[in-house]
Amino acid sequence: MSNVIELDHYIGGKWSPSKSGEALKVINPATGATMANVPMASYTDVGAAVSAGRAAFRQWRATPVTDRIRYLFAFREKLEYYFEEIARSITEECGKTINESRGELRRGIENVEVACGAPILMQGYNNEDIASGIDEHMIRQPLGVVVAITPFNFPGMIPLWFLPYAVATGNCFIFKPSEKVPQTSAWLVRLLDEVGLPAGVVQLVHGGKEAVDALIEHPGTQAVSFVGSTAVARYVYAQSAAKGKRAQCQGGAKNIAVVLEDAVMDMTSTIVADSAFGCAGQRCLANSLAVTVGGAKGVFTEAMIEAARTRRVGYGLDEDSEMGPVITPESQSYIEGLVDVSEREGANVLVDGRGKVVDGFRNGNWIFPTLIDNVDSASTFAQTEVFGPVFGLMHTDDLDGAIELINSQNYGNMACLFTSSGAAARQFRYAANAGNIGINLGVAAPMAFYPFSGWKDSFFGSLHAQGRHGVEFYTQTKVVVERWPSGWSRKF
Ligand code: NAD
């Protein structure tokens, strides 16, 4: 008997086979084994989900917010109960280590917890007597059916950047996870089904471009949240705007860490190596380049060589592994190709992770930590998102030069500074053009109660994911100006 799971969409409160007849394999990136077949939704599948969402919306928005969040409290308990199983699912389909999977799930759960504050978060404001006997109020109302399209690299966390806020504020939510990692999403939906969330409030459609186009184009959807590569983020943003929908689209990144001479060097190299090689570099907040300033060059380079050489690469379910594989063989070839190009463009490969294999896992997509030096600011490597465990070094004379390098990038997801100087830190946070800043931190991931603030080509839109921004994104403001004539006021 085959162990391959046949996945279904979840539409109108039921697990539903796809009408399209098309499916893709879901492959464990460490073992190469096929774990599941994922259906590719057609316009018909998406149409059915939007209709079910629209049918559910009337009742859901009329459900008091205090009752809506009770489902989220129950969902949170389920996530805690099945925490290890879900973390395992993340590792199996996405490749990261089990500890990294636990970490991302924890950050996802924090978003559920924050969204439980919806009774306060979605409050409006008011004034009495804006004119004699006339009052004015602003209230927030849900949009209707809203959509999220998510990437492969955080299958447990990124859907939860959106789902809890959308649902708590009274919307019906349809999400389309990456076709490479659909099983963790199925876990999330299974738990929402178990807590009795009404049919149509959260729905799952699997698929690729056709499903995305159908979700954007359908006149019954009101807003689109997207996380993925910049090219697709830009496309989804433009398509959504053309249809008159609000959109928040998070894209790719090229995050630079600046290391000053006065940084605490052993801490800095440990943190930067974790950022660069953690999750096999497949984090939108991975440091991809360091710029050393002045005398930081020698000691930092030596420490990074040591960190790259000694990181334990292996199957993510093995508790000793410190780094897993990359997501697909295509991704592996792309990343190795970028190292080849860098060499041709004059960079020196100090630690070479190409062409390596983990014992017992010959079919995995392995690249070991790779370190390249003397990256030129005009080179392909300096300008291109790698999304793999390859870290580049550049060197400059002063902090101004390092900030200039950051600001010349098209991306603006995160920039980090390592220093002991408060004045340097202040200058950096003031002048670096990136939406997330880390001072002596290598993965400056905003907590659930802060916006995930990408800039430039890393984000298209105005309201980001998470926290208050999430609540604002999923609600529209209505302003009411009212006069209630009474015996007393009639004389005015
Ligand atoms: P991707 O752009 O390939 O896919 C993202 C989603 O878009 C998936 O659901 C996919 O099915 C869909 N998609 C792919 N091609 C499409 C097309 N042509 N038209 C419509 N939809 C399409 O991204 P990925 O490889 O899954 O994820 C990695 C990327 O995501 C990296 O660039 C990374 O930096 C970025 N990312 C950004 C953030 C952030 O917060 N800025 C967070 C995580 C990941």
Side-chain angles (χ1 to χ4, degrees):
M1 210 176 87
S2 161
N3 288 329
V4 175
I5 297 164
E6 299 299 328
L7 293 167
D8 287 329
H9 308 304
Y10 181 78
I11 296 176
K14 293 195 175 62
W15 293 100
S16 326
S18 187
K19 301 273 184 290
S20 75
E22 275 180 55
L24 291 180
K25 287 179 176 171
V26 183
I27 294 173
N28 181 322
T31 64
T34 300
M35 296 183 291
N37 290 315
V38 60
M40 302 299 277
S42 62
Y43 275 73
T44 311
D45 295 313
V46 167
V50 177
S51 299
R54 285 171 68 83
F57 177 60
R58 207 186 164 90
Q59 186 60 41
W60 185 243
R61 81 160 273 201
T63 303
V65 63
T66 44
D67 291 343
R68 292 199 298 254
I69 61 169
R70 285 202 182 101
Y71 292 100
L72 292 181
F73 279 112
F75 178 46
R76 181 199 172 279
E77 292 310 301
K78 292 274 181 194
L79 289 167
E80 293 290 357
Y81 187 81
Y82 291 106
F83 191 90
E84 280 301 315
E85 285 89 334
I86 302 169
R88 195 183 161 92
S89 159
I90 296 170
T91 290
E92 283 176 335
E93 62 183 4
C94 165
K96 63 181 64 173
T97 69
I98 188 71
N99 262 332
E100 289 166 343
S101 297
R102 290 175 185 132
E104 81 153 272
L105 187 55
R106 180 59 54 212
R107 301 306 295 268
I109 291 173
E110 284 164 8
N111 276 282
V112 181
E113 292 165 346
V114 170
C116 286
I120 283 184
L121 290 171
M122 70 183 292
Q123 280 174 346
Y125 45 82
N126 55 59
N127 289 85
E128 269 187 347
D129 291 323
I130 47 120
S132 237
I134 298 180
D135 305 329
E136 186 159 345
H137 319 268
M138 187 279 277
I139 52 179
R140 293 191 174 279
Q141 296 189 337
L143 304 176
V145 178
V146 299
V147 167
I149 298 142
T150 55
F152 80 81
N153 64 327
F154 283 97
M157 176 180 75
I158 291 183
L160 297 178
W161 281 356
F162 306 110
L163 184 159
Y165 303 100
V167 164
T169 51
N171 298 280
C172 292
F173 181 80
I174 303 175
F175 74 124
K176 192 217 76 67
S178 164
E179 61 279 24
K180 297 180 184 113
V181 295
Q183 299 185 101
T184 307
S185 293
W187 255 110
L188 301 181
V189 167
R190 214 174 290 138
L191 301 186
L192 287 164
D193 186 81
E194 277 185 23
V195 303
L197 191 72
V201 174
V202 169
Q203 303 182 85
L204 171 67
V205 291
H206 294 291
K209 180 170 168 34
E210 184 176 344
V212 172
D213 287 340
L215 285 164
I216 296 170
E217 286 168 24
H218 198 296
T221 62
Q222 272 71 45
V224 180
S225 303
F226 173 89
V227 183
S229 57
T230 287
V232 185
R234 198 192 296 277
Y235 168 79
V236 168
Y237 188 67
Q239 295 300 107
S240 304
K243 294 286 172 196
K245 299 180 185 188
R246 60 171 75 176
Q248 47 177 193
C249 299
Q250 300 181 213
K254 185 83 192 175
N255 305 308
I256 295 181
V258 177
V259 182
L260 300 190
E261 217 172 313
D262 66 0
V264 178
M265 220 41 94
D266 49 351
M267 176 191 84
T268 299
S269 55
T270 304
I271 291 174
V272 174
D274 279 343
S275 174
F277 305 131
C279 297
Q282 299 172 119
R283 255 192 304 224
C284 67
L285 295 180
N287 280 146
S288 175
L289 271 174
V291 181
T292 67
V293 176
K297 177 178 174 178
V299 56
F300 181 72
T301 303
E302 286 309 312
M304 287 303 291
I305 291 173
E306 177 68 10
R309 281 201 182 129
T310 53
R311 200 165 189 95
R312 278 192 303 274
V313 182
Y315 189 26
L317 288 183
D318 178 350
E319 295 274 355
D320 287 339
S321 294
E322 293 174 330
M323 195 181 103
V326 296
I327 188 73
T328 56
E330 294 75 27
S331 179
Q332 180 184 348
S333 310
Y334 166 79
I335 297 161
E336 289 181 337
L338 263 179
V339 181
D340 299 344
V341 169
S342 305
E343 254 184 327
R344 285 202 295 277
E345 291 182 356
N348 308 330
V349 179
L350 299 180
V351 181
D352 193 348
R354 291 170 290 184
K356 301 260 168 66
V357 166
V358 170
D359 283 346
F361 295 92
R362 299 206 68 77
N363 295 327
N365 315 316
W366 304 107
I367 306 179
F368 282 35
T370 298
L371 186 66
I372 61 178
D373 196 7
N374 291 327
V375 174
D376 188 87
S377 60
S379 65
T380 309
F381 188 87
Q383 305 292 329
T384 311
E385 179 174 42
V386 182
F387 226 55
V390 182
F391 190 66
L393 296 170
M394 300 168 81
H395 311 285
T396 187
D397 294 331
D398 56 24
L399 179 56
D400 288 338
I403 293 173
E404 238 169 72
L405 274 169
I406 290 170
N407 292 352
S408 68
Q409 287 278 328
N410 291 334
Y411 295 110
N413 218 31
M414 179 185 75
C416 303
L417 178 71
F418 292 84
T419 184
S420 299
S421 156
R426 187 179 189 282
Q427 180 190 348
F428 187 80
R429 94 165 178 237
Y430 189 85
N433 289 338
N436 299 294
I437 298 288
I439 304 292
N440 294 314
L441 284 170
V443 182
M447 293 296 287
F449 34 94
Y450 283 88
F452 197 104
S453 285
W455 282 15
K456 300 197 279 185
D457 281 0
S458 298
F459 180 71
F460 304 95
S462 50
L463 291 166
H464 296 84
Q466 300 197 141
R468 289 194 185 97
H469 273 219
V471 169
E472 284 182 42
F473 182 78
Y474 288 124
T475 53
Q476 49 198 340
T477 54
K478 184 178 272 182
V479 175
V480 182
V481 187
E482 61 185 16
R483 170 193 277 137
W484 290 96
S486 66
W488 178 77
S489 65
R490 230 172 257 136
K491 59 180 180 278
F492 291 95

